[in-house]
């Protein structure tokens, strides 16, 4: 958004577990919280390769694929990017973004994809060429796979996972929303916050997007009232499902 002085993009994320630091040559960012995976991968890439250098120092490989052939091609572009020096012999960051073939789905289980991914594993194990860095972001990564273990051994792994229990999920969402409102310079009372979460559900991206909507809606006003939430915050599909279940239970 244009009004960057009041956005939530700098919201502090708290990974469940992490290892290594920015100086590592390999970085895997994964987990069920798609918003935190995406935003933290982008922040890491911007630290490793400042925006002024990204025209020649950053190569983005789209990992969101629907076909086995596209997954194989994406891995191949990663390999080529890591083996090719940057402009004028400088270093380079290769970002495999939003990879959908690192889990246990149909594409990830393909023998051809596994064979090509094994080539990338071997490169990681042998050592990424000097000056090159690999960043991989994905929602689902098989923790038993050779790829995950290679990243864990040779680089940095950061996971953003959703809690298993519903009360933990609710607590996390409440903390996420409170932090998002604070970052936006808004105050919100307990009742309004409960109404907000009843409508957004517990997904981080939905929470952040609805806070951004309230920022625009309120203008110069800084206090969020329950009526504001009711006027502007859209019920998520998850919230609608729960409302329907409650209505059926209440007949």
């Amino acid at each position: 958004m244009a009004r960057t002085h009041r956005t939530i993009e700098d919201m502090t994320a708290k990974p469940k577990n992490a290892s290594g630091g920015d100086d590592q040559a390999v970085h895997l960012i994964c987990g069920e919280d798609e918003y935190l995976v995406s935003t933290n991968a982008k922040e890491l890439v911007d630290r490793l390769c400042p925006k002024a250098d990204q025209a020649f120092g950053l190569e983005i490989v789209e990992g969101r694929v629907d076909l086995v052939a596209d997954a194989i091609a994406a891995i191949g572009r990663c390999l080529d990017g890591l083996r090719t020096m940057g402009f004028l012999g400088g270093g380079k960051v290769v970002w495999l973004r939003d990879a959908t073939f690192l889990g246990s789905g149909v594409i990830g289980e393909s023998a051809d994809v596994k064979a090509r991914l094994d080539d990338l594993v071997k490169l990681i194990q042998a050592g990424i060429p000097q000056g090159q860095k690999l960043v991989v972001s994905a929602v689902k990564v098989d923790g038993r796979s050779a790829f995950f273990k290679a990243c864990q051994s040779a680089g940095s792994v950061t996971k953003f996972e959703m809690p298993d229990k519903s009360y933990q999920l609710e607590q996390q969402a409440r903390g996420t929303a409170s932090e998002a409102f604070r970052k936006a310079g808004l105050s919100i009372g307990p009742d309004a916050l409960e109404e907000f979460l009843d409508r957004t559900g517990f997904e981080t991206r939905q929470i952040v997007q609805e806070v951004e909507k309230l920022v625009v809606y309120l203008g110069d006003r800084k206090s969020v009232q329950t009526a504001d939430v009711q006027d502007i915050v859209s019920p998520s599909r998850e919230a609608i499902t729960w409302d329907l279940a409650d209505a059926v239970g209440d007949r």
Side-chain angles (χ1 to χ4, degrees):
M1 295 179 66
R3 301 174 65 175
T4 55
H5 62 292
R6 297 182 67 187
T7 62
I8 324 297
E9 293 178 358
D10 61 342
M11 187 173 65
T12 302
K14 297 179 180 179
K16 182 175 181 180
N17 52 67
S19 62
D22 287 2
D23 59 336
Q24 300 289 328
V26 180
H27 301 267
L28 172 62
I29 301 177
C30 59
E32 297 168 340
D33 195 317
E34 178 268 337
Y35 177 81
L36 292 182
V37 169
S38 176
T39 55
N40 280 270
K42 179 64 169 62
E43 290 170 3
L44 172 62
V45 167
D46 287 343
R47 291 198 305 272
L48 297 177
C49 184
K51 292 184 178 180
D53 301 328
Q54 289 182 2
F56 300 106
L58 173 63
E59 184 170 342
I60 298 177
V61 179
E62 293 297 343
R64 192 180 296 275
V65 300
D66 297 314
L67 301 172
V68 167
D70 293 337
I72 293 172
I75 299 168
R77 287 194 291 273
C78 281
L79 289 165
D80 292 342
L82 291 170
R83 291 167 176 161
T84 305
M85 295 302 295
F87 184 64
L88 297 178
K92 183 169 57 176
V93 174
V94 177
W95 181 12
L96 177 57
R97 183 168 64 184
D98 301 334
T100 56
F101 50 84
L102 298 175
S104 55
V106 175
I107 296 178
E109 291 296 325
S110 164
D112 292 336
V113 171
K114 286 183 175 180
R116 197 62 174 133
L117 194 59
D118 189 53
D119 293 334
L120 183 56
V121 169
K122 290 176 181 176
L123 179 61
I124 292 172
Q125 292 173 335
I128 299 294
Q130 185 69 29
Q132 311 291 73
K133 290 184 181 295
L134 172 65
V135 177
V136 180
S137 59
V139 173
K140 294 182 179 180
V141 180
D142 187 349
R144 303 164 299 176
S145 67
F147 175 78
F148 182 88
K149 292 177 181 177
C151 293
Q152 201 170 38
S153 176
S156 166
V157 174
T158 305
K159 299 178 70 177
F160 294 95
E161 296 182 337
M162 305 295 284
D164 296 329
K165 300 185 182 299
S166 59
Y167 76 90
Q168 293 174 328
L169 191 61
E170 182 176 354
Q171 288 176 348
Q172 177 173 292
R174 185 173 286 103
T176 298
S178 297
E179 180 68 4
F181 281 114
R182 187 188 69 80
K183 290 288 187 182
L186 301 178
S187 62
I188 185 169
D191 292 341
L193 181 59
E194 289 305 315
E195 179 70 21
F196 178 83
L197 291 174
D198 283 344
R199 288 173 171 262
T200 62
F202 303 145
E203 187 176 307
T204 303
R205 183 175 294 279
Q206 182 74 12
I207 290 172
V208 172
Q209 288 176 343
E210 295 301 330
V211 171
E212 293 284 12
K213 284 170 58 178
L214 281 165
V215 167
V216 176
Y217 176 74
L218 293 174
D220 294 331
R221 191 150 55 91
K222 303 293 186 180
S223 178
V224 182
Q225 305 299 317
T226 301
D228 299 322
V229 174
Q230 293 170 341
D231 286 343
I232 199 65
V233 177
S234 304
S236 69
R237 188 173 302 174
E238 175 186 344
I240 292 172
T241 300
W242 282 111
D243 287 344
L244 177 60
D246 288 343
V248 171
D250 293 339
R251 300 192 178 184

